[in-house]
Amino acid sequence: MTAADKAEELSGKFVGLSWYQLLAKDFPGALASSEAGLKLNPAKRALDTNRTHALLFLGRIKEAEDIYRKHLGQKISQDTWEKVILDDLKQLEEDGLSSPDFSKVREIVTPHSSGAGFAR
Amino acid sequence: MANLHVLTGYYGYLPLQRREEEQHAYQEAIRIYRASIAKSPSPENYNNMADAYRWLGDSYLQDGAYELVDNAYKNSIAVYDEGLSRFSKTPQLIGSLIEQKANMALYFAQQWRKKKKFINADTALRVAVETARAGLQTDLLQSGLYDVLEKSGKEGEVLKSDVMSRIASSGIRADTPKELTNEIAATIDKTHVDKLLWPAGAKLDGNLLQVKQSQSWDIPPLIPGAWLQLTEAEKQVELQRIPPGTDSERRIVTRIRKLPVTFYPNAVLYEAEVRRGERESGIFDYVRSGRDVLVLDGTSNPIHDFNKKPVVDEGVSRTLLRLESLEQATQYVHFFTAAIGGESGTFRIIDSAADLPMPLTVPVSDRKNLDRVIMPLQVRQTGDGQWNAEATVRYGNSLRYAVLHLDGNPRQIPRMSADTSVGSEQPILTEHFVHGVRVMSDYNYQKSLLEERTARESKAKRWKQAAQAQGALVSLMQ
C-alpha cells in the first residue's frame, strides 16, 4: 500500500467520523475531523460536505454558504455535490437534526433555483 | 608424564607412608602441568593441576602440617579460578571447571571438618556453595551443580552438628562458635535452590511469581524446532560477533535463541530479541554457516545469494544449500516462506491452529473452525530427487492452500506451483519485517473489531458510540 493509498483510506475514515459526530451533535468535533481529513487528502469532497454542515450548525453561516456554492456542479463519487448535500440534509432531518437554514441550503444546491443567500 | 608422578605418589609412596617422596611426586606433577598449561591451556590441564594440589594437601594433612595443607588447598582453588578466567569468553568450556571447583571445595570442607578445623571447613564450604550458585546463575542447566548444593547442605548440617558438639565438650572461646554456627547456617541457607530458579528481579506476590520480563518470548520462532536460549555468558559472546542489521545501533538485544538447521552445512539459525523502548520488541534473524552469515530482512535475494555460495565439500565443489533429505527439504521450506514477506506480511507454513498467533479474545469456536481447515505440511520427493510440498500458508491475516516445488536450483527455489485462498480476514496477528526486524502486529485484527463495532453502533443509531468507535479506528490507523 502506497502512502497515497494510506492517505486515501484514512481520509475516508475521517468522512465517517465527522458524519457520526454531526449526528451525535458534536459539531466542533465534526469540524475538526473533517479538516484533519482534508489535510491528508484535500481533494476528498465528502469531507467538504461534512465540514460545511458543521460550520452551518456552529453558526458560521457565511463560511458555510461560500463552501456550499463553491463546489456546485462538482462530482462526489458517482453523484453531484448538490445531490449529496440534499441527501445529507434529508438524512440529518430523519435522524432528528435540523436547522432553520436548511431551506436556504436547499435553495443554493437545488438546480434552477435562484440561489439566494441566507437572510442574515 | 605429570599423571605418572601423581600415580607414583598416590599408589607408590602413599601406602608406604613415604611422605616426602610422595609430596615431591605431586610437586613435580604440578610443575609439569604448569608447563603444559603455558604451552596449551585446556580445562583438563587446569583440572589435573588443581587435583595434584589436592593430593599434595591431603598428604600434608596426614602429617598434620595444616598451614601447608591450607596453602595447597588454596592453590588448588586458585588454579580453577585461573582456568575460569582464562576461558571466560568460551562459556561452553567453563561448565566442567565450575563443577569441578565446587566439588573440590566441598571435598576440602569435608577434609577440614574431619580434622576438626571448623573455620577452614566453613570457609571451604562457602566456596563450594558460592561457586555452584554463581555457575547456576550463568546457566541453570547444570545438574551437577544442583548435586553440589544438595551435598553441601548435608555437609553444612554435619559441620554445624560437629561444631555444637565441640562447644559442649571444649573450652573454645564463647563467641567464636556462635559466629561460626551462624555462618554455617547462612551457607546452608544458600544451598536451597528455589529462588535460584527465579528470573532476576522476580518477586512472589500472593500465589503467583511476578516477573519483570515475560519469560516466554513474545514472538514465535521463525521455524519450528528445539530452540535453545543462550545463557547470559553465551549471549555476551554472541553479541561480539552478531552481524550488523539495518537500524541496529538503536536496538537493545534482550536475549538470543538458536536452532541448528540442516539445509546449510554446520549452520545455526539465531534469533536475537531486540527492543526499542519499553514496548516495541522484534526478532533479528540470522543464520551462521561456518564463516558465512545470512541476515534475514524479509526479502528473498539475500537467501538466494547465500544458497548459491560456492563451497568445497569433501573435495567436491557445490553450493551451500542442501536439499538431500526429507528433513532438509521440510526445514528449508518452513524457513524460506517465513523469511520472506509481502505487503500483508510474512508467509508462514502452518500445521495447526496452534501455529496461528491469535489474540486471546478470539472465541474457541473460531479457533476450532480454523483448525479444521488447516492441512499439515506434506513434503514428498519426486522420482528425480526434487521435492514437492503441499501446505497451508498464512499470509497476513489470510490462509491459503499452496503447492510448492523445490527443484534444487538455489537461485529459484521454492516455486509456488498452485495456490488457492481458504480464508481471508481471519482473526490472526500479522507478522512483518520492519527495518530488518520481525515484528508481530494485531493491527488488522483491532481494525476489523473497530469497524464491526462502528457498523453495529451506527445500525442502532447510537451516534455518540459510533463516533467513539470510529475515532478509535482513526487513532489506530494514524
Side-chain angles (χ1 to χ4, degrees):
Chain A
M1 189 181 268
T2 64
D5 292 337
K6 285 178 186 167
E8 170 62 27
E9 188 188 8
L10 184 55
S11 63
K13 300 299 178 191
F14 273 114
V15 174
L17 175 57
S18 52
W19 179 248
Y20 294 133
Q21 287 169 319
L22 282 173
L23 290 165
K25 298 180 184 169
D26 174 10
F27 306 126
L31 181 64
S33 298
S34 54
E35 287 179 346
L38 282 165
K39 270 189 190 168
L40 284 170
N41 188 356
K44 191 90 175 169
R45 286 294 148 261
L47 285 164
D48 280 314
T49 65
N50 292 349
R51 177 168 180 261
T52 317
H53 301 324
L55 288 168
L56 185 73
F57 284 115
L58 286 168
R60 293 163 65 176
I61 307 298
K62 179 71 175 73
E63 288 171 77
E65 183 186 339
D66 286 349
I67 301 169
Y68 281 128
R69 287 184 193 285
K70 182 179 167 185
H71 299 298
L72 286 172
Q74 293 183 1
K75 282 270 186 189
I76 300 180
S77 298
Q78 302 303 313
D79 294 322
T80 61
W81 167 266
E82 293 86 325
K83 182 172 186 315
V84 172
I85 295 295
L86 290 171
D87 287 349
D88 279 359
L89 297 188
K90 188 177 170 211
Q91 185 68 53
L92 289 167
E93 284 173 336
E94 282 176 10
D95 282 304
L97 213 67
S98 190
S99 159
D101 295 315
F102 272 13
S103 57
K104 300 293 180 189
V105 177
R106 286 192 170 99
E107 275 185 38
I108 291 171
V109 299
T110 300
H112 313 301
S113 74
S114 64
F118 296 106
R120 288 288 158 101
Chain B
M1 180 59 92
N3 287 346
L4 191 63
H5 282 289
V6 171
L7 293 172
T8 307
Y10 189 77
Y11 292 107
Y13 299 123
L14 176 62
L16 300 173
Q17 306 258 326
R18 290 163 64 177
R19 298 256 186 270
E20 272 186 37
E21 284 113 318
E22 183 195 353
Q23 288 155 11
H24 180 74
Y26 298 141
Q27 282 162 343
E28 190 57 20
I30 289 165
R31 191 187 61 74
I32 295 169
Y33 284 131
R34 172 56 71 195
S36 300
I37 285 170
K39 222 168 165 185
S40 62
S42 70
E44 192 189 358
N45 279 340
Y46 279 106
N47 187 48
N48 286 337
M49 187 159 85
D51 219 20
Y53 271 118
R54 176 255 290 261
W55 296 123
L56 182 62
D58 283 357
S59 181
Y60 290 137
L61 201 67
Q62 302 299 317
D63 289 341
Y66 295 127
E67 258 186 53
L68 292 173
V69 177
D70 191 37
N71 202 30
Y73 283 177
K74 279 179 178 163
N75 277 334
S76 174
I77 296 298
V79 169
Y80 282 119
D81 289 338
E82 185 188 320
L84 290 171
S85 170
R86 185 77 174 245
F87 298 113
S88 62
K89 293 200 172 145
T90 42
Q92 67 274 22
L93 293 180
I94 64 171
S96 60
L97 275 181
I98 291 174
E99 189 178 329
Q100 285 153 353
K101 178 189 167 187
N103 271 311
M104 189 65 87
L106 174 60
Y107 171 81
F108 294 155
Q110 290 163 335
Q111 294 296 87
W112 284 124
R113 173 180 53 77
K114 286 173 191 166
K115 294 291 178 187
K116 303 201 185 307
K117 297 290 177 187
F118 297 136
I119 293 173
N120 296 49
D122 171 52
T123 305
L125 187 65
R126 212 162 48 237
V127 171
V129 172
E130 283 169 3
T131 301
R133 288 185 70 91
L136 289 170
Q137 273 158 6
T138 57
D139 182 5
L140 286 170
L141 304 182
Q142 300 184 84
S143 59
L145 294 181
Y146 294 106
D147 293 341
V148 171
L149 286 177
E150 190 186 346
K151 287 178 191 163
S152 296
K154 287 177 183 165
E155 174 60 24
E157 295 294 349
V158 175
L159 177 61
K160 199 166 79 172
S161 166
D162 284 5
V163 171
M164 300 300 278
S165 304
R166 181 84 167 162
I167 292 168
S169 62
S170 75
I172 299 176
R173 250 186 25 232
D175 55 341
T176 307
K178 194 180 173 196
E179 279 174 17
L180 193 57
T181 50
N182 285 346
E183 274 180 21
I184 296 167
T187 305
I188 292 170
D189 198 43
K190 285 184 182 168
T191 63
H192 302 139
V193 294
D194 49 359
K195 288 186 183 174
L196 202 63
L197 298 176
W198 293 5
K203 279 189 283 190
L204 195 61
D205 183 10
N207 293 326
L208 189 65
L209 198 67
Q210 299 296 311
V211 290
K212 280 185 175 174
Q213 181 191 17
S214 170
Q215 293 304 291
S216 60
W217 288 49
D218 296 335
I219 299 176
L222 192 77
I223 59 175
W227 286 84
L228 188 65
Q229 184 169 321
L230 270 55
T231 64
E232 186 56 31
E234 289 168 336
K235 183 187 116 182
Q236 292 306 325
V237 173
E238 184 57 29
L239 285 177
Q240 302 297 314
R241 57 177 198 160
I242 192 168
T246 52
D247 209 19
S248 54
E249 71 284 356
R250 288 198 287 158
R251 294 181 193 140
I252 297 166
V253 175
T254 48
R255 46 192 164 180
I256 300 175
R257 61 187 169 196
K258 65 177 181 180
L259 175 75
V261 290
T262 55
F263 48 86
Y264 297 129
N266 304 316
V268 175
L269 171 59
Y270 287 89
E271 297 207 317
E273 185 186 62
V274 294
R275 287 190 184 277
R276 281 196 314 182
E278 277 291 300
R279 298 173 64 88
E280 283 182 86
S281 74
I283 299 287
F284 178 60
D285 281 282
Y286 58 99
V287 179
R288 183 174 288 116
S289 171
R291 289 183 178 179
D292 295 308
V293 176
L294 164 65
V295 174
L296 304 179
D297 64 359
T299 64
S300 59
N301 279 345
I303 304 174
H304 288 141
D305 291 344
F306 197 76
N307 287 349
K308 65 178 183 176
K309 278 196 172 195
V311 287
V312 177
D313 185 11
E314 294 177 354
V316 179
S317 286
R318 52 173 303 167
T319 52
L320 264 182
L321 185 64
R322 309 288 152 95
L323 294 178
E324 284 127 31
S325 69
L326 178 65
E327 186 193 6
Q328 289 169 336
T330 304
Q331 203 178 34
Y332 181 73
V333 78
H334 267 291
F335 168 80
F336 185 87
T337 50
I340 59 167
E343 192 179 284
S344 297
T346 55
F347 297 88
R348 282 281 201 153
I349 287 177
I350 49 171
D351 289 317
S352 76
D355 296 338
L356 291 174
M358 283 186 268
L360 293 172
T361 48
V362 174
V364 174
S365 57
D366 287 359
R367 292 170 193 265
K368 281 186 176 167
N369 288 339
L370 278 166
D371 211 20
R372 287 170 59 82
V373 171
I374 295 164
M375 168 185 63
L377 174 66
Q378 306 279 312
V379 180
R380 289 193 189 89
Q381 193 162 27
T382 61
D384 57 359
Q386 300 181 16
W387 299 93
N388 283 322
E390 192 181 9
T392 308
V393 177
R394 182 195 98 202
Y395 175 53
N397 59 357
S398 66
L399 296 179
R400 309 184 75 79
Y401 289 153
V403 175
L404 304 162
H405 181 64
L406 290 78
D407 63 6
N409 177 351
R411 183 74 205 167
Q412 299 297 332
I413 56 176
R415 179 169 54 83
M416 195 178 282
S417 304
D419 78 313
T420 183
S421 173
V422 293
S424 59
E425 298 294 321
Q426 294 302 308
I428 306 168
L429 302 186
T430 53
E431 183 184 60
H432 300 260
F433 277 89
V434 180
H435 302 304
V437 168
R438 196 159 54 81
V439 296
M440 301 293 295
S441 166
D442 63 354
Y443 173 81
N444 285 335
Y445 177 68
Q446 296 297 342
K447 189 176 164 211
S448 67
L449 282 186
L450 287 168
E451 283 170 342
E452 282 170 23
R453 196 176 126 207
T454 307
R456 200 169 52 243
E457 300 293 0
S458 169
K459 196 175 173 189
K461 293 184 180 286
R462 290 192 290 262
W463 303 121
K464 194 176 166 188
Q465 288 85 343
Q468 281 170 348
Q470 186 80 357
L473 177 61
V474 165
S475 297
L476 176 74
M477 291 175 69
Q478 282 178 317

